[in-house]
Amino acid sequence: MKVPLLDLKAQYKTLKNELDEALIRTAESQYFILGPEVEKLEKSMCEYLDCKYAIGVSSGTDALLIALMAIDIKPGDEIIVPTYSFFATAGVVSRMNAIPIFVDSNPVTYNIDVKSIENKITSKTKAIIPVHLYGQSAEMDEITALAKKHNLKVIEDGAQAIGVQYKDGRKVGNHGDIGCFSFFPSKNLGCFGDGGLVITNNDELGAKLRIMRVHGGKPKYYHKIIGGNFRLDAIQAAVLNVKLPHLDSWSEKRRKNAGLYTKLFMESGVAGKEGITEFSSKEKVLLPGAIYKDSGFKNYHIYNQYVIRVQNRDDVRKHLTEKEVSTEIYYPVPFHKQECFASLKSRFENTSFVNSERASNETIALPIYPELRDEQIEFVVETIIQFISFIK
Ligand SMILES: *Cc1c(COP(=O)(O)O)cnc(C)c1O
């Protein structure tokens, strides 16, 4: 049975008329840069995310970059990031000539291990970038408490987590100084190309981000600060304006799919309960742990990815590929092992990254997109179980 990792055409089909109309409307207006569609999106996002300022930008990566520019990161500043994330989280730090300081991940959530942050803080540390990986909030109470104690800024990388509620009910992106989001097509809310968003509840940062998005000029051609071209295209905003009202129902379907995966794996008898992190003779599949499930809030996890851990991961993946099930490895190489960061090695020689290294060797992301059918999920689980029973 063919099970793609993602099927964007299935989603497009359900909204084709409205989306096509939005594209044509933009073409007919010939209004391509910022303008009314972007303003409408920003207003809707302020409501949806319950934040004071939302500013559309050119991508999730640029959202992180403009955030670091807005908090005045200087060359040589140290910024704490999880070693296990998408490259942009650390890449933007180096692009500011600042130094990413890598921290191991939590074995249950794969988010930054909050217990390992404090002994990485030095007099040069200026910020922490927690990532809400796979669609689940990082431990923001602990992170913001540390930031307050050491006078650090917090930039949230919510690229995979738009609409996720932390255990206090507030949506992620609101807990730090600036929240960053991506509308890359594979995220829960994707546009027809690149797009992103920064949010803040701070008046000064809100005003600054807005000016920095257009090269830092206000009025136009008069520059007190230096920004860049970080603009969101009107055409992307038009697409997002059509899609945003459906985001929660898509995330709900992802949660339902995740629930089915978990149920089937549990019934198979070879999976550990959610949150178990050690393999045993019985527990051969480790399931994702949703630590805020009992918060009482619906959007405790939006499952941008459903990630399990298996031993012999590469063999399992090869077998799934042979059976036409597409999977992905997020992420095979943690930052501390990336060639481009080799010059930073002396800074983390004595740091343990055991959880991140295990994750990079053992995790596999299964198809989880909203339009996935139950039979497809059943097939994926059966295929994995069969193979795992065979290799034991
Ligand atoms: C996708 C992603 C980004 C970058 O977003 P782009 O829109 O692709 O630039 C940053 N961080 C994380 C964790 C992501 O998943």
Side-chain angles (χ1 to χ4, degrees), residues 8 23 27 33 47 75 85 94 113 141 143 165 196 210 227-228 230 254 270 275 290 309 312 314 324 332 351 378:
L8 290 173
L23 295 177
I33 306 291
E47 280 165 31
S85 176
S94 294
D113 176 31
D141 281 351
I143 291 165
Q165 286 170 295
R210 200 167 281 287
F230 293 119
R254 286 171 180 269
V270 300
R309 269 170 59 200
N312 308 93
D314 294 337
E324 296 189 300
T351 308
E378 284 157 17

Side-chain angles (χ1 to χ4, degrees), residues 1 9 61 65 72-73 98 117 120 135 153 159 182 184 206 211 217 240 250 261 263 293 301:
M1 190 185 298
K9 284 185 185 165
T61 305
L65 190 58
D72 294 319
I73 293 305
I117 294 176
K120 291 285 166 193
K153 295 278 193 272
S182 163
F184 185 79
I211 298 169
L240 293 164
W250 290 330
Y261 269 124
K263 175 173 169 281
K293 202 171 186 166
H301 199 326

Side-chain angles (χ1 to χ4, degrees), residues 269-284:
V270 300
K273 280 204 199 76
E274 284 175 83
I276 287 190
T277 59
E278 297 296 327
F279 292 105
S280 72
S281 56
K282 186 173 155 285
E283 272 123 12
K284 292 176 188 306

Side-chain angles (χ1 to χ4, degrees), residues 159-205:
Q160 302 183 7
I162 192 158
V164 169
Q165 286 170 295
Y166 183 52
K167 65 181 180 186
D168 60 4
R170 285 156 75 215
K171 287 180 173 161
V172 300
N174 280 299
H175 299 84
D177 295 275
I178 301 175
C180 304
F181 298 97
S182 163
F183 303 126
F184 185 79
S186 70
K187 313 291 183 182
N188 284 38
L189 180 64
C191 60
F192 285 3
D194 281 308
L197 187 82
V198 281
I199 69 166
T200 184
N201 294 296
N202 176 302
D203 296 335
E204 201 180 313
L205 286 175

